[in-house]
Amino acid sequence: MRRTGVVMVLPLAWLSWSVGGVLMAPGTDTVTARLAEWARFHGMGGVVSELERVQYQLDPPKIGGALTAAIPTATASPTADPTAGDLPSTAATPGPLQPIPTQATPALPGEGQWRPLVAVGGRPAIRAAFLRPDALHTSYLTGVALIDQSLVRLELHPGYQVPGGSGWSQPSEVPASERDALLATFNAGFRMGDSRGGFWEGGKTAVPLRTGAASMVVYKDGHVDVMAWPGGTPGSDVAAVRQNLDLLVDGGALAADIDSTTTRTWGKTVGNATYVWRTALGIRADGSLVFVVGDALSVRTLATIARDAGAVRAMEMDINKAWTNFITYTHPGPGIAVPHMLTADEQPNPRRYLQPSTRDFVAVLSR
């Protein structure tokens, strides 16, 4: 009986230690997200996917209906200059900014119109536009941020689980020393095993880079490009490379396999569902960046909105509600960064990057 008891207690003790460590780890991930990640890392991804599939079937995205709130028309951040929308465009965004074509008609007041969100020196560093994702999911609102790279610098921060490991050049949270300059943060890509790509930062490799993979390339001067990785070792001017799948948009055109239902192509969504929370990062011909975030998005509608916002190249970032976010910050006092979600329905804790993050993310700081 004692031997039997030992055989039974040891697995239970390991399970308690393993799960307890995940639940007590730093960060703001929900209990559900932590348990799902623990299960996936321990070979139970199929069980998690089946539970997610059942949940999705019980509560799929709503078809039709009206928005529950009006499209935002004012700045979300007191640091933004309310007249910035009328200022002459910066060198990074020449000419008047064209609205994003609406995906559902008739257009609602303010839909697809760019609004100033965060200003640096009286100039709009980040603008935002909001629109419905398509003609079916008319009660949802997608947010699009436009980032002027002449006014900001970007950093890739590794998560302590994704990619994991130690010895990185950046911490897993926005350090206190940078919070006065912090303008925004946004999520990076998939878990490395699902990304079909690599992670490289500061000369250290977590997963080897894949030639041809969609890549967010962060340069040492703080600017970012989105490209298909040409191969080889990153140059001396590169600070980090984060890869995720293949390009959604290339040369201003949607990927030829944009409608592929193979999970390896565009990732495993909740129950392999089509219309879920998704994000994308793209670069425009003028060098500015666009970031798209919203619920009830398919791969096609995500790519279409990124392209219509001006992206000539774009890549899918993370998906599903636990991991998708674009957050701006206000500064009521020195060293204080107060977070604000771009859209009201984003799920993750808005303070998630002000403490150790399980997943990698990008910080946007004033130059």
Side-chain angles (χ1 to χ4, degrees):
M1 290 178 65
R2 284 196 298 268
R3 285 194 295 269
T4 301
V6 169
V7 170
M8 294 176 64
V9 166
L10 286 177
L12 290 175
W14 172 84
L15 183 64
S16 298
W17 171 81
S18 180
V19 174
V22 169
L23 296 179
M24 297 300 292
T28 62
D29 297 346
T30 64
V31 171
T32 301
R34 289 171 186 255
L35 291 175
E37 289 293 275
W38 177 88
R40 292 188 190 279
F41 276 112
H42 287 84
M44 291 180 280
V47 175
V48 175
S49 295
E50 178 60 21
L51 292 173
E52 290 175 337
R53 184 189 65 81
V54 172
Q55 181 185 35
Y56 184 87
Q57 287 182 334
L58 293 174
D59 187 25
K62 178 183 176 182
I63 300 296
L67 294 174
T68 57
I71 293 174
T73 57
T75 59
S77 163
T79 62
D81 182 345
T83 67
D86 299 322
L87 292 176
S89 54
T90 67
T93 52
L97 283 173
Q98 298 299 318
I100 305 173
T102 57
Q103 311 299 311
T105 55
L108 300 177
E111 188 171 13
Q113 300 285 335
W114 293 108
R115 306 291 179 181
L117 191 65
V118 176
V120 172
R123 298 166 62 191
I126 304 176
R127 304 177 194 246
F130 302 90
L131 68 163
R132 293 165 294 172
D134 57 34
L136 292 177
H137 302 91
T138 50
S139 64
Y140 297 87
L141 199 61
T142 300
V144 186
L146 175 66
I147 303 170
D148 184 341
Q149 294 205 79
S150 72
L151 298 174
V152 306
R153 57 187 176 89
L154 292 91
E155 297 175 343
L156 175 63
H157 290 262
Y160 67 83
Q161 287 184 356
V162 180
S166 60
W168 297 108
S169 60
Q170 295 287 351
S172 62
E173 63 184 301
V174 179
S177 61
E178 292 189 341
R179 293 187 184 178
D180 285 339
L182 182 63
L183 303 179
T185 51
F186 56 86
N187 63 266
F190 293 177
R191 294 184 308 146
M192 301 314 304
D194 298 323
S195 70
R196 293 175 47 230
F199 188 106
W200 181 96
E201 184 178 68
K204 178 180 170 64
T205 298
V207 176
L209 300 177
R210 175 173 69 89
T211 300
S215 304
M216 176 179 64
V217 183
V218 185
Y219 291 87
K220 291 180 179 178
D221 66 0
H223 85 275
V224 163
D225 199 356
V226 176
M227 66 175 71
W229 186 247
T233 303
S236 60
D237 59 340
V238 175
V241 180
R242 197 348 170 153
Q243 298 185 320
N244 204 56
L245 309 178
D246 294 326
L247 287 176
L248 286 174
V249 178
D250 193 10
L254 304 190
D257 56 352
I258 200 70
D259 295 317
S260 172
T261 57
T262 303
T263 57
R264 177 175 170 79
T265 307
W266 302 118
K268 297 177 181 178
T269 62
V270 174
N272 293 336
T274 297
Y275 296 99
V276 296
W277 277 95
R278 298 182 188 270
T279 55
L281 177 69
I283 188 162
R284 293 161 47 109
D286 57 32
S288 56
L289 298 172
V290 292
F291 188 87
V292 183
V293 57
D295 195 3
L297 286 165
S298 68
V299 178
R300 174 174 283 276
T301 53
L302 177 72
T304 298
I305 292 173
R307 179 201 63 192
D308 289 355
V312 292
R313 295 183 300 280
M315 60 187 288
E316 186 172 34
M317 302 297 272
D318 218 343
I319 57 179
N320 296 332
K321 64 182 180 180
W323 314 115
T324 48
N325 50 85
F326 187 94
I327 308 168
T328 59
Y329 299 85
T330 53
H331 305 277
I336 302 174
V338 179
H340 309 271
M341 291 296 199
L342 181 62
T343 61
D345 54 348
E346 291 171 47
Q347 300 293 312
N349 188 311
R351 299 190 63 83
R352 66 178 299 144
Y353 303 130
L354 301 178
Q355 52 192 293
S357 172
T358 54
R359 296 200 177 195
D360 55 319
F361 66 95
V362 177
V364 182
L365 305 114
S366 59
R367 282 196 177 273

